[in-house]
Amino acid sequence: MALIPADVAHSVDATASTAPASSARDEPQLVSAHLDTGVFIELLDKHEQVSQRIRFDTLPVTIGNHYRCDYILDTDEAAVQSVVVERDEANRLHVRAPNPFWAPGGLTRDWIVDPERAFMLAGERIRIRTRDYAPKHRRMSSDVIRRLSGWTLLVALAGAIGLGAFQAWLIDIEGVRTSQYVTAAFAVVGMLSLWAGAWAIVSKLTGKSTHFLAHLSLAAIGMIVSAIVEFVFDSVTYSFDLKTLWQYGNIVVWAVLGALVWAHARLIVRTRAASAWIAAFVVAGSVLAIEWTSSFNARSTFAQSATLNEARPPGWRMASGVSLDSFQKSAARLEAAAEALKSEKPEGVDLGQYGE
Amino acid sequence: MKFCFQTHGSERTTVKMQRIRQQLSKSAATFFGCLAAFAFAQQAAPANPAGASAVISANPGNASQPAMSPASPSGQRLFDAARDKLVQIRILTRAGGSQASVGSGFLIAANGTALTNYHVISQLVLEPQRFRAEYVRVDGKRGEVALINFDVVHDLALIRLEGLTNAAHFSLRGAAEPLRQGEKIYSLGNPLDLGFAISEGTYNGLVERRLYEQIHFTGALNPGMSGGPALDEAGRVIGVNVAGTGGELANLLVPLTYVRPLVSDSRSTEPDKKLIASQLKMHQAVMVDALLAKPFKRQALGPAEVAVGDDSLLRCWGNSNAKPEKLYRSESTSCALRSSLFVDSNFTTGTVSWDHTYRVGEKLGAWRFAAWQQRVVSAQGKATDAVGAKPTRYLTRALCEDRFINAQGISYRAAVCVRAHREFEGLFDVTVRANSVDREVESLSSSLDAKGVSFANAQRLIRAFLEVSKWR
């Protein structure tokens, strides 16, 4: 199939979709004046890969097999004038078929252009995009980077510092106050900066910009979300005596960490999707593995027991207790269980040594 | 110039005593150097009678005390008379014959039967395939040691010194002649592996608040003298050197009350670990029965009432950090039964201890108090785990059960952890931690540790312990 560009258009390489309009060989003023209204007509193969891309700087554009069309389909199946690409009053890009008989689908006369979808016209797979088009993940990334700056950054950073100060206040039972809070705030800022700095280096190595502030903002949000998730889990666990939730609560926290790593990698650094997932699994998985080995080493000990590691959240309900009889009855199982452990090696593999 | 300390004795005896004194003088510098080293070592393990040192300590907690008082004429006479009856017990590795530890012993029968401490020959009982024992007499003659019987509860062992017949031996002071406080007694042994020596002191009655009788000996005992005899002025045995207390010249002797049954107990089987197990079981039964013979006494601790022990059996200690400038206050009381038994240099058992801490933080508020409580209790839990949660040669790892419980109107978050004794069937180490959770700015934390008890007795203790505490 041969595509014959009309004289008002020029051919561009399929891999250079963002080539500047000034590279056009004719009428540079016209191209400049209609920069935002131009479209790319893309001819796709059956695998939806672009086999040819033509840029038109003025609308409307007609696509058909007549030599009066702007974009000529070299096929006998097409009508003299198959479709017209034009903008409506709201500046939306439309495809209109003057003759419904030749319209794709037979009856559809007019539809809004979807840059993600191709349509069939005279046996050809055609897609229309504009200069504003960006792949989905890049569009999201740009959006995220923009949203993470400005007020979001200020609020997130203030929140993280506030969280650090709150935690310092919680443990300030000696009334040291100012010095302790400032230290905590510096610690939070330092920690976030280190984290964001590491990601900024990754950004710089894989692109042109460090996006340090975006990384910093995301790190601060991650810290706040982690703290909230952990608090909610601990509180619910304690208030309702949900041991299982306590045991697996860390997994949720590390899922938050994994999501944070994914967001850094995918949305800001703009790595490939697979790389972002691998980074998330490796970082969160490693930390979870360390936690797990520590937990394994401390299994069935006081350190492992929810009893002694979770404080009662003030003002919340407290789980109802059992009688001393019930407690002793349930503890009775420990006699046989402890006897059964005699065969366990005194000095077996100590996974805990790698965990802490 | 001659030193004639003895009231009756030959010229030859005087010369011998002079030599001994000279030897002691020559050894002084080395001796005090060793003392410093021992003092340092014992700070790390004050309750371990044998310690980790190669020399079996008769006084592990007080090695820095003056080693020997100047010998009196009586001392010279007694030492001279005791020379042939004293032995040093050496524990040697079977593989290379290296010296693993040393202690003292003394003959009580002409056929070579001798007494020493269990902790001197414990390696012989626990690991006979790795260790053997030999004795060395004052004149340097040596021979093999065979185990006849032991009493792990009172730290005594009956041994046979092979190759001795018609040996000179000590006689035991009769039960009908009780010692009087202030009476002079003399302790003999081989301190610090320096050579045989005598230490003069006084009898100060029986130690108070003990499950079993022990003689309070005010005199020097040093590592290496364990298992040596304590004599009255007539040269009769009144006790066996056993341990120090950590105080200045305050040391302990095992009275003859426990020696006589051991000597008269003719065992047909070779003493082994099973004998230790049966003795430990008897001990824990005696201990728990004694503790629970009367209901626990109550003592005020802040607005709570908590369990404390019977004054005749144990001592409780208190502490408080109450200061007006502080945002919080805590008061605590801790009680411990001094009944710990030596089994191995790495393993003591057979004791019960507990403590209560009341914390209040009105100025802290509920959030900070909760955070403080969490940190304190968590740290205590981790500290407990650090010293004993992993499996060891003698204990399994801990298994725990935790619950919210209500007892005497207090809501606790409580946990009980159990470790079984690997070597001794039916014995457990049990730990209970209970933290009250029903008040926002005050709490009561209670913990109980019972080592080497049967599970049934552990349950009795837990119930008795938790049923006492209440808010007033």
Side-chain angles (χ1 to χ4, degrees):
Chain A
M1 173 62 61
L3 281 172
I4 306 167
D7 59 350
V8 293
H10 63 271
S11 175
V12 292
D13 187 84
T15 59
S17 61
T18 55
S22 58
S23 66
R25 56 180 164 75
D26 55 353
E27 297 180 345
Q29 295 88 349
L30 182 65
V31 169
S32 175
H34 297 87
L35 200 61
D36 293 332
T37 58
V39 295
F40 293 93
I41 308 295
E42 295 174 340
L43 186 67
L44 310 181
D45 62 17
K46 62 181 179 183
H47 303 297
E48 300 250 325
Q49 298 299 308
V50 177
S51 57
Q52 195 163 11
R53 177 182 292 122
I54 311 295
R55 193 174 82 201
F56 294 88
D57 293 326
T58 55
L59 291 177
V61 173
T62 55
I63 305 172
N65 66 353
H66 197 279
Y67 273 69
R68 283 179 299 181
C69 293
D70 300 317
Y71 191 93
I72 301 167
L73 298 173
D74 189 16
T75 169
D76 294 335
E77 296 175 22
V80 173
Q81 189 182 41
S82 294
V83 291
V84 178
V85 181
E86 59 189 358
R87 289 192 181 274
D88 64 10
E89 291 175 352
N91 207 31
R92 290 176 305 190
L93 207 57
H94 280 248
V95 176
R96 184 169 55 80
N99 182 349
F101 180 78
W102 296 107
L107 295 174
T108 309
R109 290 175 62 97
D110 193 319
W111 68 93
I112 295 172
V113 166
D114 182 349
E116 298 293 341
R117 296 180 63 185
F119 60 89
M120 297 298 293
L121 180 64
E124 294 297 330
R125 199 179 298 270
I126 294 172
R127 189 170 61 192
I128 300 170
R129 285 179 174 172
T130 66
R131 288 175 59 84
D132 293 334
Y133 175 77
K136 197 176 178 183
H137 71 274
R138 287 195 182 171
R139 210 161 56 236
M140 190 195 297
S141 169
S142 304
D143 204 31
V144 166
I145 292 172
R146 195 176 63 248
R147 285 173 189 272
L148 283 175
S149 58
W151 280 106
T152 309
L153 172 65
L154 284 176
V155 171
L157 211 51
I161 290 171
L163 182 68
F166 175 70
Q167 285 172 341
W169 174 78
L170 276 183
I171 62 169
D172 179 22
I173 59 165
E174 300 293 344
V176 179
R177 292 180 184 153
T178 312
S179 64
Q180 201 149 336
Y181 304 160
V182 170
T183 305
F186 273 116
V188 167
V189 171
M191 200 165 63
L192 292 177
S193 299
L194 277 176
W195 177 264
W199 280 108
I201 291 169
V202 176
S203 286
K204 187 70 180 175
L205 291 175
T206 55
K208 287 183 179 177
S209 178
T210 59
H211 296 302
F212 177 77
L213 292 181
H215 283 303
L216 188 65
S217 183
L218 193 59
I221 291 169
M223 177 180 272
I224 294 167
V225 170
S226 294
I228 292 171
V229 167
E230 193 166 15
F231 174 75
V232 169
F233 261 73
D234 287 352
S235 301
V236 171
T237 300
Y238 201 86
S239 301
F240 298 95
D241 197 13
L242 301 174
K243 277 189 194 174
T244 310
L245 198 61
W246 182 84
Q247 282 171 333
Y248 298 105
N250 276 350
I251 291 176
V252 177
V253 174
W254 298 122
V256 172
L257 177 69
L260 183 66
V261 171
W262 180 88
H264 278 289
R266 184 72 176 141
L267 301 181
I268 303 180
V269 180
R270 292 176 177 171
T271 61
R272 290 173 183 276
S275 306
W277 281 112
I278 290 169
F281 276 113
V282 168
V283 174
S286 304
V287 181
L288 189 61
I290 291 169
E291 279 277 309
W292 183 82
T293 50
S294 300
S295 175
F296 177 82
N297 195 45
R299 64 197 187 284
S300 303
T301 66
F302 280 112
Q304 178 74 347
S305 166
T307 299
L308 305 171
N309 287 286
E310 304 303 330
R312 175 193 173 203
W316 285 44
R317 81 182 288 278
M318 194 183 70
S320 52
V322 299
S323 67
L324 197 51
D325 284 336
S326 300
F327 177 58
Q328 289 205 285
K329 206 171 283 181
S330 60
R333 71 168 181 88
L334 298 176
E335 180 179 12
E339 288 279 8
L341 290 178
K342 283 184 176 179
S343 57
E344 205 173 61
K345 277 187 178 178
E347 293 169 1
V349 178
D350 183 4
L351 292 169
Q353 63 182 305
Y354 306 109
E356 288 175 332
Chain B
M1 184 180 171
K2 284 182 183 175
F3 291 93
C4 299
F5 289 112
Q6 66 273 43
T7 51
H8 51 87
S10 62
E11 180 70 15
R12 191 178 161 196
T13 307
T14 307
V15 171
K16 278 182 184 172
M17 287 311 297
Q18 280 182 317
R19 280 182 189 161
I20 290 165
R21 289 173 60 81
Q22 283 166 359
Q23 280 177 350
L24 283 173
S25 302
K26 281 178 185 174
S27 306
T30 314
F31 185 55
F32 282 104
C34 290
L35 282 177
F38 268 88
F40 181 79
Q42 295 305 330
Q43 278 176 354
N48 184 350
S53 64
V55 180
I56 300 296
S57 165
N59 185 9
N62 191 25
S64 60
Q65 67 189 13
M68 296 291 135
S69 310
S72 67
S74 299
Q76 292 179 37
R77 173 180 54 81
L78 287 173
F79 186 85
D80 192 51
R83 286 175 61 83
D84 295 339
K85 305 166 192 172
L86 287 173
V87 289
Q88 184 187 41
I89 309 293
R90 293 178 177 174
I91 305 298
L92 309 169
T93 59
R94 284 193 186 277
S98 306
Q99 188 166 292
S101 61
V102 293
S104 299
F106 59 97
L107 284 155
I108 57 167
N111 64 356
T113 302
L115 267 175
T116 185
N117 289 136
Y118 162 79
H119 75 255
V120 172
I121 51 86
S122 62
Q123 287 159 300
L124 206 58
V125 179
L126 297 165
E127 296 178 285
Q129 71 283 4
R130 284 181 60 201
F131 297 100
R132 66 183 182 85
E134 71 171 22
Y135 66 88
V136 182
R137 303 184 71 183
V138 177
D139 58 10
K141 287 179 183 169
R142 56 184 66 191
E144 287 293 308
V145 170
L147 190 60
I148 301 173
N149 201 355
F150 62 80
D151 178 353
V152 73
V153 176
H154 304 106
D155 203 354
L156 291 171
L158 200 61
I159 53 177
R160 180 176 298 108
L161 310 182
E162 303 289 4
L164 292 183
T165 50
N166 297 322
H169 58 87
F170 288 104
S171 59
L172 309 183
R173 178 164 166 150
E177 298 178 75
L179 288 157
R180 289 167 300 165
Q181 188 150 10
E183 195 172 327
K184 274 194 176 177
I185 48 180
Y186 303 83
S187 175
L188 293 93
N190 193 329
L192 306 169
D193 202 18
L194 295 172
F196 289 95
I198 185 167
S199 163
E200 187 176 318
T202 48
Y203 170 80
N204 272 303
L206 298 175
V207 179
E208 294 177 353
R209 299 182 198 88
R210 294 273 168 153
L211 205 54
Y212 308 110
E213 290 181 359
Q214 280 187 315
I215 292 171
H216 177 185
F217 169 58
T218 306
L221 280 186
N222 282 283
M225 293 177 78
S226 288
L231 309 177
D232 61 11
E233 290 210 85
R236 293 172 300 180
V237 176
I238 58 98
V240 182
N241 306 334
V242 68
T245 59
E248 184 80 7
L249 292 178
N251 294 305
L252 305 174
L253 309 173
V254 183
L256 295 180
T257 318
Y258 305 114
V259 171
R260 292 192 183 95
L262 186 69
V263 173
S264 59
D265 176 23
S266 54
R267 289 184 58 79
S268 56
T269 57
E270 196 170 316
D272 56 11
K273 288 180 194 172
K274 286 180 183 169
L275 181 59
I276 300 180
S278 69
Q279 292 178 349
L280 291 180
K281 276 182 189 166
M282 282 169 53
H283 165 73
Q284 65 88 29
V286 170
M287 175 178 71
V288 175
D289 285 347
L291 265 177
L292 301 181
K294 288 184 278 185
F296 278 119
K297 273 174 58 184
R298 283 196 169 103
Q299 178 184 296
L301 189 69
E305 278 185 359
V306 297
V308 291
D310 183 354
D311 283 345
S312 64
L313 202 58
L314 49 80
R315 171 74 82 192
C316 295
W317 301 91
N319 198 4
S320 169
N321 76 340
K323 288 179 185 171
E325 68 273 17
K326 283 197 178 287
L327 300 176
Y328 61 93
R329 180 165 56 88
S330 70
E331 292 173 34
S332 63
T333 181
S334 58
C335 307
L337 196 64
R338 289 178 176 177
S339 59
S340 180
L341 303 183
F342 176 98
V343 176
D344 183 6
S345 55
N346 296 316
F347 186 59
T348 57
T349 187
T351 187
V352 176
S353 62
W354 67 89
D355 62 70
H356 305 277
T357 304
Y358 167 73
R359 298 185 188 90
V360 60
E362 283 153 351
K363 293 179 191 168
L364 286 174
W367 279 88
R368 292 162 90 184
F369 182 80
W372 176 48
Q373 176 80 350
Q374 175 173 334
R375 280 189 302 133
V376 169
V377 175
S378 177
Q380 285 173 348
K382 282 174 182 166
T384 306
D385 291 337
V387 296
K390 293 177 182 174
T392 66
R393 178 185 162 191
Y394 288 103
L395 295 166
T396 64
R397 70 180 161 89
L399 283 179
C400 303
E401 178 79 20
D402 60 294
R403 285 276 189 282
F404 281 99
I405 63 166
N406 297 315
Q408 293 293 317
I410 301 181
S411 294
Y412 292 103
R413 185 72 177 165
V416 55
C417 287
V418 176
R419 307 177 76 188
H421 285 219
R422 284 177 187 279
E423 306 266 359
F424 312 120
E425 190 70 29
L427 294 177
F428 300 85
D429 280 8
V430 178
T431 305
V432 178
R433 298 277 184 274
N435 300 288
S436 74
V437 289
D438 50 359
R439 297 190 175 188
E440 288 205 332
V441 291
E442 56 186 347
S443 71
L444 179 66
S445 298
S446 301
S447 69
L448 169 76
D449 289 283
K451 293 181 186 294
V453 295
S454 69
F455 199 82
N457 274 338
Q459 293 277 53
R460 286 172 66 202
L461 283 169
I462 292 169
R463 173 168 285 280
F465 177 68
L466 288 176
E467 273 186 339
V468 172
S469 299
K470 63 177 186 180
W471 296 120
R472 281 188 293 175

